[in-house]
């Protein structure tokens, strides 16, 4: 569906595409997506596209790199710890089953 609008909008100027992007309530989502795609192709660089549309990239947010590093540190620390916990409870269950099945003869 978006392809239909891409073909329809391919001859529009950057100003016309910006008008579509800046007034999304007047257009359907396919038209807005097509305008974004075409404007991105018509701009020389991504930073120029960002300036025109006001769209931020994921890396522009303050603290994004810090949060990513914290997330990976958490994953690196949590994974081995979770293996230890799972191993402990599996071992505990295995011992319980072993002693339940292998009681001494005088206790049976």
């Amino acid at each position: 569906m978006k392809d239909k609008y891409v073909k329809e909008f391919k001859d529009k100027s950057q100003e016309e595409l910006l008008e579509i992007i800046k007034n999304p309530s007047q257009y359907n989502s396919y038209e807005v997506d097509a305008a974004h795609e075409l404007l991105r192709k018509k701009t020389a660089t991504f930073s120029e596209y960002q300036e025109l549309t006001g769209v931020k990239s994921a890396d522009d947010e303050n603290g994004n790199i810090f949060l990513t590093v914290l997330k990976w540190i958490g994953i690196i620390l949590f994974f081995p710890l979770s293996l230890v916990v799972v191993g402990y409870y599996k071992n505990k269950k295995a011992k319980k089953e072993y002693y339940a099945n292998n009681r001494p003869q005088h206790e049976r």
Side-chain angles (χ1 to χ4, degrees), residues 5-34:
Y5 293 110
V6 169
K7 290 176 186 174
E8 186 178 318
F9 292 169
K10 71 180 179 180
D11 295 326
K12 289 190 181 278
S13 67
Q14 283 188 357
E15 291 77 24
E16 292 171 316
L17 294 172
L18 271 173
E19 184 64 31
I20 294 169
I21 292 170
K22 291 189 179 193
N23 298 313
S25 60
Q26 297 177 1
Y27 302 94
N28 68 40
S29 63
Y30 297 115
E31 291 173 314
V32 175
D33 290 343

mmCIF file of all heavy atoms in Angstrom, residues 5-34:
data_model
loop_
_atom_site.group_PDB
_atom_site.id
_atom_site.type_symbol
_atom_site.label_atom_id
_atom_site.label_comp_id
_atom_site.label_asym_id
_atom_site.label_seq_id
_atom_site.Cartn_x
_atom_site.Cartn_y
_atom_site.Cartn_z
ATOM 1 N N TYR A 5 1.796 5.065 -2.714
ATOM 2 C CA TYR A 5 2.042 6.465 -2.372
ATOM 3 C C TYR A 5 3.468 6.885 -2.702
ATOM 4 O O TYR A 5 3.712 8.034 -3.052
ATOM 5 C CB TYR A 5 1.726 6.725 -0.897
ATOM 6 C CG TYR A 5 0.254 6.580 -0.602
ATOM 7 C CD1 TYR A 5 -0.215 5.513 0.148
ATOM 8 C CD2 TYR A 5 -0.672 7.497 -1.094
ATOM 9 C CE1 TYR A 5 -1.565 5.367 0.411
ATOM 10 C CE2 TYR A 5 -2.022 7.353 -0.837
ATOM 11 C CZ TYR A 5 -2.469 6.291 -0.081
ATOM 12 O OH TYR A 5 -3.800 6.157 0.168
ATOM 13 N N VAL A 6 4.411 5.966 -2.614
ATOM 14 C CA VAL A 6 5.787 6.286 -2.994
ATOM 15 C C VAL A 6 5.825 6.658 -4.472
ATOM 16 O O VAL A 6 6.460 7.651 -4.851
ATOM 17 C CB VAL A 6 6.738 5.105 -2.685
ATOM 18 C CG1 VAL A 6 8.099 5.317 -3.315
ATOM 19 C CG2 VAL A 6 6.871 4.891 -1.188
ATOM 20 N N LYS A 7 5.143 5.880 -5.294
ATOM 21 C CA LYS A 7 5.089 6.193 -6.734
ATOM 22 C C LYS A 7 4.368 7.513 -6.980
ATOM 23 O O LYS A 7 4.765 8.300 -7.831
ATOM 24 C CB LYS A 7 4.383 5.066 -7.489
ATOM 25 C CG LYS A 7 5.180 3.796 -7.556
ATOM 26 C CD LYS A 7 4.403 2.678 -8.229
ATOM 27 C CE LYS A 7 5.164 1.374 -8.159
ATOM 28 N NZ LYS A 7 4.391 0.240 -8.664
ATOM 29 N N GLU A 8 3.315 7.750 -6.206
ATOM 30 C CA GLU A 8 2.520 8.965 -6.382
ATOM 31 C C GLU A 8 3.292 10.214 -5.932
ATOM 32 O O GLU A 8 3.173 11.275 -6.543
ATOM 33 C CB GLU A 8 1.232 8.837 -5.564
ATOM 34 C CG GLU A 8 0.249 9.958 -5.747
ATOM 35 C CD GLU A 8 -1.012 9.715 -4.930
ATOM 36 O OE1 GLU A 8 -1.500 8.568 -4.894
ATOM 37 O OE2 GLU A 8 -1.479 10.683 -4.327
ATOM 38 N N PHE A 9 4.092 10.082 -4.878
ATOM 39 C CA PHE A 9 4.787 11.234 -4.307
ATOM 40 C C PHE A 9 6.200 11.443 -4.839
ATOM 41 O O PHE A 9 6.854 12.402 -4.468
ATOM 42 C CB PHE A 9 4.896 11.080 -2.786
ATOM 43 C CG PHE A 9 3.601 11.157 -2.032
ATOM 44 C CD1 PHE A 9 3.564 10.810 -0.699
ATOM 45 C CD2 PHE A 9 2.425 11.562 -2.639
ATOM 46 C CE1 PHE A 9 2.388 10.870 0.027
ATOM 47 C CE2 PHE A 9 1.241 11.619 -1.938
ATOM 48 C CZ PHE A 9 1.219 11.273 -0.597
ATOM 49 N N LYS A 10 6.688 10.574 -5.716
ATOM 50 C CA LYS A 10 8.093 10.644 -6.103
ATOM 51 C C LYS A 10 8.476 11.954 -6.789
ATOM 52 O O LYS A 10 9.626 12.364 -6.769
ATOM 53 C CB LYS A 10 8.486 9.447 -6.970
ATOM 54 C CG LYS A 10 7.917 9.450 -8.356
ATOM 55 C CD LYS A 10 8.377 8.232 -9.123
ATOM 56 C CE LYS A 10 7.756 8.256 -10.513
ATOM 57 N NZ LYS A 10 8.165 7.115 -11.282
ATOM 58 N N ASP A 11 7.513 12.654 -7.384
ATOM 59 C CA ASP A 11 7.809 13.917 -8.055
ATOM 60 C C ASP A 11 7.595 15.131 -7.163
ATOM 61 O O ASP A 11 7.804 16.266 -7.598
ATOM 62 C CB ASP A 11 6.951 14.039 -9.320
ATOM 63 C CG ASP A 11 7.304 12.969 -10.338
ATOM 64 O OD1 ASP A 11 8.496 12.598 -10.413
ATOM 65 O OD2 ASP A 11 6.394 12.492 -11.038
ATOM 66 N N LYS A 12 7.199 14.926 -5.932
ATOM 67 C CA LYS A 12 6.965 16.043 -5.014
ATOM 68 C C LYS A 12 8.296 16.604 -4.528
ATOM 69 O O LYS A 12 9.293 15.895 -4.417
ATOM 70 C CB LYS A 12 6.122 15.600 -3.811
ATOM 71 C CG LYS A 12 4.676 15.303 -4.162
ATOM 72 C CD LYS A 12 3.865 15.117 -2.909
ATOM 73 C CE LYS A 12 2.425 14.805 -3.233
ATOM 74 N NZ LYS A 12 1.636 15.983 -3.520
ATOM 75 N N SER A 13 8.297 17.897 -4.228
ATOM 76 C CA SER A 13 9.509 18.551 -3.739
ATOM 77 C C SER A 13 9.699 18.239 -2.247
ATOM 78 O O SER A 13 8.805 17.714 -1.589
ATOM 79 C CB SER A 13 9.397 20.062 -3.929
ATOM 80 O OG SER A 13 8.382 20.573 -3.079
ATOM 81 N N GLN A 14 10.871 18.624 -1.739
ATOM 82 C CA GLN A 14 11.147 18.408 -0.319
ATOM 83 C C GLN A 14 10.152 19.173 0.547
ATOM 84 O O GLN A 14 9.722 18.674 1.578
ATOM 85 C CB GLN A 14 12.562 18.859 0.022
ATOM 86 C CG GLN A 14 13.639 17.905 -0.396
ATOM 87 C CD GLN A 14 15.005 18.316 0.137
ATOM 88 O OE1 GLN A 14 15.159 19.352 0.780
ATOM 89 N NE2 GLN A 14 16.000 17.504 -0.154
ATOM 90 N N GLU A 15 9.781 20.363 0.125
ATOM 91 C CA GLU A 15 8.839 21.180 0.896
ATOM 92 C C GLU A 15 7.473 20.509 0.984
ATOM 93 O O GLU A 15 6.832 20.506 2.034
ATOM 94 C CB GLU A 15 8.706 22.573 0.286
ATOM 95 C CG GLU A 15 9.950 23.447 0.434
ATOM 96 C CD GLU A 15 11.062 23.068 -0.545
ATOM 97 O OE1 GLU A 15 10.771 22.474 -1.613
ATOM 98 O OE2 GLU A 15 12.226 23.338 -0.220
ATOM 99 N N GLU A 16 7.034 19.931 -0.124
ATOM 100 C CA GLU A 16 5.738 19.240 -0.123
ATOM 101 C C GLU A 16 5.777 17.997 0.764
ATOM 102 O O GLU A 16 4.824 17.716 1.498
ATOM 103 C CB GLU A 16 5.341 18.858 -1.558
ATOM 104 C CG GLU A 16 5.020 20.050 -2.434
ATOM 105 C CD GLU A 16 4.836 19.666 -3.892
ATOM 106 O OE1 GLU A 16 5.644 18.878 -4.418
ATOM 107 O OE2 GLU A 16 3.854 20.161 -4.491
ATOM 108 N N LEU A 17 6.882 17.273 0.703
ATOM 109 C CA LEU A 17 7.031 16.091 1.564
ATOM 110 C C LEU A 17 7.088 16.485 3.036
ATOM 111 O O LEU A 17 6.493 15.824 3.888
ATOM 112 C CB LEU A 17 8.288 15.304 1.173
ATOM 113 C CG LEU A 17 8.264 14.661 -0.222
ATOM 114 C CD1 LEU A 17 9.625 14.081 -0.560
ATOM 115 C CD2 LEU A 17 7.184 13.609 -0.309
ATOM 116 N N LEU A 18 7.781 17.594 3.330
ATOM 117 C CA LEU A 18 7.829 18.081 4.705
ATOM 118 C C LEU A 18 6.451 18.484 5.197
ATOM 119 O O LEU A 18 6.109 18.273 6.358
ATOM 120 C CB LEU A 18 8.769 19.281 4.810
ATOM 121 C CG LEU A 18 10.226 18.962 5.089
ATOM 122 C CD1 LEU A 18 11.076 20.213 5.005
ATOM 123 C CD2 LEU A 18 10.385 18.308 6.436
ATOM 124 N N GLU A 19 5.646 19.057 4.328
ATOM 125 C CA GLU A 19 4.275 19.446 4.692
ATOM 126 C C GLU A 19 3.463 18.206 5.097
ATOM 127 O O GLU A 19 2.718 18.238 6.067
ATOM 128 C CB GLU A 19 3.607 20.162 3.520
ATOM 129 C CG GLU A 19 2.227 20.679 3.814
ATOM 130 C CD GLU A 19 2.222 21.759 4.885
ATOM 131 O OE1 GLU A 19 3.195 22.512 4.995
ATOM 132 O OE2 GLU A 19 1.223 21.820 5.625
ATOM 133 N N ILE A 20 3.639 17.120 4.366
ATOM 134 C CA ILE A 20 2.944 15.871 4.695
ATOM 135 C C ILE A 20 3.428 15.326 6.037
ATOM 136 O O ILE A 20 2.635 14.926 6.880
ATOM 137 C CB ILE A 20 3.149 14.816 3.575
ATOM 138 C CG1 ILE A 20 2.470 15.279 2.291
ATOM 139 C CG2 ILE A 20 2.618 13.453 4.006
ATOM 140 C CD1 ILE A 20 2.822 14.456 1.074
ATOM 141 N N ILE A 21 4.740 15.370 6.254
ATOM 142 C CA ILE A 21 5.319 14.841 7.491
ATOM 143 C C ILE A 21 4.907 15.670 8.699
ATOM 144 O O ILE A 21 4.617 15.134 9.768
ATOM 145 C CB ILE A 21 6.858 14.770 7.363
ATOM 146 C CG1 ILE A 21 7.243 13.697 6.342
ATOM 147 C CG2 ILE A 21 7.513 14.483 8.709
ATOM 148 C CD1 ILE A 21 8.694 13.697 5.943
ATOM 149 N N LYS A 22 4.867 16.988 8.519
ATOM 150 C CA LYS A 22 4.562 17.866 9.665
ATOM 151 C C LYS A 22 3.077 17.941 9.984
ATOM 152 O O LYS A 22 2.701 18.424 11.040
ATOM 153 C CB LYS A 22 5.129 19.255 9.406
ATOM 154 C CG LYS A 22 6.643 19.237 9.434
ATOM 155 C CD LYS A 22 7.248 20.582 9.396
ATOM 156 C CE LYS A 22 8.762 20.417 9.458
ATOM 157 N NZ LYS A 22 9.445 21.646 9.728
ATOM 158 N N ASN A 23 2.222 17.474 9.091
ATOM 159 C CA ASN A 23 0.778 17.443 9.339
ATOM 160 C C ASN A 23 0.242 16.021 9.177
ATOM 161 O O ASN A 23 -0.572 15.749 8.287
ATOM 162 C CB ASN A 23 0.047 18.391 8.377
ATOM 163 C CG ASN A 23 0.470 19.827 8.566
ATOM 164 O OD1 ASN A 23 0.532 20.309 9.689
ATOM 165 N ND2 ASN A 23 0.779 20.503 7.468
ATOM 166 N N PRO A 24 0.663 15.090 10.027
ATOM 167 C CA PRO A 24 0.273 13.685 9.845
ATOM 168 C C PRO A 24 -1.217 13.435 10.062
ATOM 169 O O PRO A 24 -1.750 12.449 9.560
ATOM 170 C CB PRO A 24 1.110 12.943 10.881
ATOM 171 C CG PRO A 24 1.447 13.961 11.901
ATOM 172 C CD PRO A 24 1.528 15.276 11.180
ATOM 173 N N SER A 25 -1.896 14.336 10.772
ATOM 174 C CA SER A 25 -3.326 14.117 11.024
ATOM 175 C C SER A 25 -4.157 14.309 9.757
ATOM 176 O O SER A 25 -5.277 13.802 9.667
ATOM 177 C CB SER A 25 -3.815 15.056 12.123
ATOM 178 O OG SER A 25 -3.620 16.404 11.734
ATOM 179 N N GLN A 26 -3.624 15.008 8.772
ATOM 180 C CA GLN A 26 -4.349 15.239 7.522
ATOM 181 C C GLN A 26 -4.137 14.129 6.504
ATOM 182 O O GLN A 26 -4.778 14.122 5.457
ATOM 183 C CB GLN A 26 -3.924 16.572 6.909
ATOM 184 C CG GLN A 26 -4.270 17.763 7.777
ATOM 185 C CD GLN A 26 -3.768 19.063 7.181
ATOM 186 O OE1 GLN A 26 -3.179 19.069 6.108
ATOM 187 N NE2 GLN A 26 -4.003 20.162 7.883
ATOM 188 N N TYR A 27 -3.227 13.208 6.804
ATOM 189 C CA TYR A 27 -2.886 12.141 5.858
ATOM 190 C C TYR A 27 -2.953 10.790 6.573
ATOM 191 O O TYR A 27 -2.836 10.712 7.793
ATOM 192 C CB TYR A 27 -1.470 12.356 5.305
ATOM 193 C CG TYR A 27 -1.302 13.685 4.609
ATOM 194 C CD1 TYR A 27 -0.819 14.794 5.287
ATOM 195 C CD2 TYR A 27 -1.633 13.828 3.272
ATOM 196 C CE1 TYR A 27 -0.670 16.018 4.663
ATOM 197 C CE2 TYR A 27 -1.486 15.048 2.626
ATOM 198 C CZ TYR A 27 -1.002 16.140 3.332
ATOM 199 O OH TYR A 27 -0.858 17.343 2.700
ATOM 200 N N ASN A 28 -3.084 9.716 5.788
ATOM 201 C CA ASN A 28 -3.061 8.394 6.420
ATOM 202 C C ASN A 28 -1.612 7.962 6.668
ATOM 203 O O ASN A 28 -0.672 8.576 6.174
ATOM 204 C CB ASN A 28 -3.852 7.362 5.600
ATOM 205 C CG ASN A 28 -3.214 7.023 4.273
ATOM 206 O OD1 ASN A 28 -2.003 6.887 4.170
ATOM 207 N ND2 ASN A 28 -4.038 6.881 3.248
ATOM 208 N N SER A 29 -1.443 6.908 7.426
ATOM 209 C CA SER A 29 -0.095 6.492 7.834
ATOM 210 C C SER A 29 0.766 6.056 6.650
ATOM 211 O O SER A 29 1.984 6.246 6.670
ATOM 212 C CB SER A 29 -0.175 5.356 8.850
ATOM 213 O OG SER A 29 -0.786 4.219 8.280
ATOM 214 N N TYR A 30 0.156 5.511 5.621
ATOM 215 C CA TYR A 30 0.919 5.103 4.437
ATOM 216 C C TYR A 30 1.497 6.311 3.718
ATOM 217 O O TYR A 30 2.632 6.286 3.232
ATOM 218 C CB TYR A 30 0.053 4.291 3.476
ATOM 219 C CG TYR A 30 -0.447 2.995 4.068
ATOM 220 C CD1 TYR A 30 -1.797 2.783 4.275
ATOM 221 C CD2 TYR A 30 0.433 1.984 4.416
ATOM 222 C CE1 TYR A 30 -2.272 1.602 4.822
ATOM 223 C CE2 TYR A 30 -0.017 0.794 4.962
ATOM 224 C CZ TYR A 30 -1.370 0.610 5.166
ATOM 225 O OH TYR A 30 -1.819 -0.564 5.709
ATOM 226 N N GLU A 31 0.717 7.375 3.641
ATOM 227 C CA GLU A 31 1.196 8.591 2.988
ATOM 228 C C GLU A 31 2.354 9.208 3.777
ATOM 229 O O GLU A 31 3.348 9.635 3.190
ATOM 230 C CB GLU A 31 0.058 9.607 2.863
ATOM 231 C CG GLU A 31 -1.014 9.196 1.871
ATOM 232 C CD GLU A 31 -2.217 10.119 1.887
ATOM 233 O OE1 GLU A 31 -2.702 10.450 2.990
ATOM 234 O OE2 GLU A 31 -2.661 10.504 0.789
ATOM 235 N N VAL A 32 2.232 9.211 5.097
ATOM 236 C CA VAL A 32 3.293 9.775 5.934
ATOM 237 C C VAL A 32 4.557 8.925 5.826
ATOM 238 O O VAL A 32 5.667 9.458 5.681
ATOM 239 C CB VAL A 32 2.826 9.889 7.402
ATOM 240 C CG1 VAL A 32 3.958 10.348 8.298
ATOM 241 C CG2 VAL A 32 1.633 10.843 7.508
ATOM 242 N N ASP A 33 4.413 7.613 5.856
ATOM 243 C CA ASP A 33 5.573 6.718 5.716
ATOM 244 C C ASP A 33 6.249 6.897 4.357
ATOM 245 O O ASP A 33 7.475 6.917 4.264
ATOM 246 C CB ASP A 33 5.164 5.259 5.892
ATOM 247 C CG ASP A 33 4.788 4.915 7.319
ATOM 248 O OD1 ASP A 33 5.139 5.699 8.230
ATOM 249 O OD2 ASP A 33 4.131 3.871 7.520
ATOM 250 N N ALA A 34 5.454 7.032 3.321
ATOM 251 C CA ALA A 34 6.004 7.231 1.977
ATOM 252 C C ALA A 34 6.743 8.566 1.907
ATOM 253 O O ALA A 34 7.822 8.656 1.303
ATOM 254 C CB ALA A 34 4.887 7.191 0.939
#
